[in-house]
Amino acid sequence: MKNLIILCCLLCMVIVSAEAQTTSPKPKTTTPISKPKAKTTAPIKRVKTTTPVVKSKTAIVQPTPQKEVAKSETKTRIATVKETKQKNMTESYKTAIGLKFIYGVSLTGKFFINKKGALEAIVRYNNAGGFGSNIALTGLYLQHNEINAVDGLRWYYGGGGYINHFSWADKDVESVNTFGIACALGLKYKFKNFPIAISADWLPSYEINQNLGISAQNGGLGIKYTF
């Protein structure tokens, strides 16, 4: 009987231990979650495609208004008129030689140094009304200006100096030498397509060394050959 009790106890212990083992919680096995692999994308090279720009040499011409065309034509006409006037102003000759009359007889020579300016030399002789002989040398600078009303007609002015020698008819009286300042004011006309120019001028003078004052007996009508 005693052995039976002991056997029953051992059997109960085995059953209890077996139940304990079956009811004990089993350790959870968690499988590691694999992280998604990062996508490795190769860098894409961008190729710049540039289309060559062809520059056109042909400029776009915009139509000009009629007013601008009229203004340009007017300016062109004015420029043409000015050029014509300048050509008329520019003498067709550089040098001229000739004679001048009224206050005796004068030999004259003129040389243009620019479009308007000229140098003139005058050698004059007169007999002083029978009282003797008078010889004068005059040098002038003349400035010429056009007269629009008549082609080839110009007026001029200027000044310079002179030396005068007067010999009396009576040999017993000493001759007189004077010098002074001379002015000029006149008109000149050059014939077109013909190498002749005519002039009319007045050359008042002022005696310096003999205190004779102003003398108006100078100048005259002239004719010159031009070349």
Side-chain angles (χ1 to χ4, degrees):
M1 183 70 177
K2 191 175 181 178
N3 289 329
L4 182 63
I5 293 168
I6 293 168
L7 182 63
C8 290
C9 291
L10 290 170
L11 183 62
C12 289
M13 289 175 66
V14 171
I15 293 168
V16 170
S17 62
E19 289 179 357
Q21 289 179 1
T22 57
T23 57
S24 60
K26 293 180 179 180
K28 295 180 180 180
T29 58
T30 59
T31 57
I33 301 170
S34 61
K35 294 182 179 180
K37 294 181 180 181
K39 294 181 180 180
T40 57
T41 56
I44 300 172
K45 294 183 179 180
R46 295 181 180 178
V47 179
K48 294 182 179 180
T49 57
T50 58
T51 305
V53 180
V54 179
K55 294 182 179 180
S56 176
K57 294 183 179 180
T58 58
I60 299 173
V61 179
Q62 296 180 352
T64 57
Q66 292 182 354
K67 290 183 179 180
E68 293 183 1
V69 174
K71 286 182 180 179
S72 63
E73 289 179 355
T74 304
K75 289 181 180 180
T76 305
R77 289 175 184 175
I78 292 172
T80 305
V81 171
K82 286 183 178 180
E83 288 178 0
T84 304
K85 287 182 179 180
Q86 288 179 356
K87 287 180 181 179
N88 291 334
M89 286 289 293
T90 306
E91 295 291 349
S92 57
Y93 64 94
K94 295 287 289 185
T95 308
I97 57 173
L99 297 174
K100 188 181 292 185
F101 306 95
I102 292 184
Y103 298 107
V105 179
S106 301
L107 176 65
T108 66
K110 182 182 288 188
F111 178 77
F112 278 86
I113 58 176
N114 53 48
K115 290 181 179 180
K116 294 184 177 182
L119 299 175
E120 184 172 12
I122 305 169
V123 179
R124 178 172 61 89
Y125 171 82
N126 62 46
N127 62 1
F131 292 100
S133 61
N134 187 31
I135 300 174
L137 175 63
T138 305
L140 300 170
Y141 172 78
L142 303 175
Q143 187 76 7
H144 297 72
N145 296 285
E146 66 176 341
I147 298 176
N148 295 326
V150 181
D151 292 337
L153 182 63
R154 304 173 73 183
W155 69 279
Y156 58 88
Y157 64 93
Y162 74 95
I163 299 173
N164 187 74
H165 175 78
F166 181 80
S167 298
W168 293 94
D170 187 353
K171 301 298 182 181
D172 295 332
V173 182
E174 293 184 356
S175 59
V176 179
N177 295 317
T178 59
F179 61 87
I181 300 171
C183 299
L185 180 64
L187 291 171
K188 178 189 72 67
Y189 179 77
K190 166 69 171 59
F191 290 96
K192 188 177 181 180
N193 300 325
F194 197 67
I196 297 296
I198 57 175
S199 64
D201 57 19
W202 178 48
L203 278 68
S205 61
Y206 180 79
E207 304 274 353
I208 293 176
N209 62 329
Q210 295 294 330
N211 296 321
L212 298 177
I214 297 174
S215 173
Q217 295 183 359
N218 214 340
L221 300 175
I223 182 170
K224 294 182 179 67
Y225 175 78
T226 64
F227 56 95

